[in-house]
Amino acid sequence: MRIFTNLAELKAAKGEHLGYSDWREISQERVDLFADATDDHQWIHVDPERAKDGPFGGTIGHGYLTLSLLPTLVSELYQVGGLRMAINYGLNKVRFPRPVPVGSRVRAGAEIADVKGTPSGTLVNLRVTIEVEGVDRPACIADTLTLFVPQE
């Protein structure tokens, strides 16, 4: 866990890699709950029997399920002090180069890609890479934007 005591320290760390989160298992139960929450019940996600003969040899997690894990995984990587609040400002780019097989484990690594001052605070572009354990190619690469608003 990298701890920045203020926004000036965070800005000085532009370009640094923040390390890796703990591993998280992607269980069929988690995938099924996500399917229920999003009404995306495509068989490649929720039908293990049919998916055995499908293109991935079993069920896979939704790409958006993988993306939805970013806040919890990234929260293990860094903290910033001296803030009034931090706001999810959106995403610049997201790619899903590889599926996440059910039963596999994922973790996040992140790099501070850019830091910009704005009238409202400091906007940070964090490049987050979600890895699947034992697989060379990432499952997700996302440029996330967070607006950090300092205490007054």
Side-chain angles (χ1 to χ4, degrees), residues 30 57 88 111 137 148:
R30 183 184 294 252
N88 173 357
E111 172 189 334
R137 198 162 152 211
F148 292 101

Side-chain angles (χ1 to χ4, degrees), residues 25-103:
E25 182 178 348
I26 304 302
S27 66
Q28 187 64 57
E29 179 184 20
R30 183 184 294 252
V31 171
D32 292 344
L33 288 169
F34 189 84
D36 289 342
T38 60
D39 289 330
D40 181 353
H41 294 93
Q42 187 176 168
W43 63 270
I44 62 172
H45 304 302
V46 299
D47 188 341
E49 283 305 309
R50 184 174 176 194
K52 282 182 197 174
D53 297 323
F56 307 109
T59 50
I60 60 169
H62 304 72
Y64 287 122
L65 167 59
T66 304
L67 188 64
S68 76
L69 295 174
L70 265 62
T72 189
L73 295 173
V74 168
S75 73
E76 297 177 12
L77 303 180
Y78 76 117
Q79 292 178 354
V80 182
L83 299 178
R84 188 169 74 197
M85 65 181 145
I87 300 168
N88 173 357
Y89 203 72
L91 302 158
N92 275 345
K93 183 177 180 180
V94 178
R95 296 290 182 263
F96 302 108
R98 175 165 201 80
V100 176
V102 166

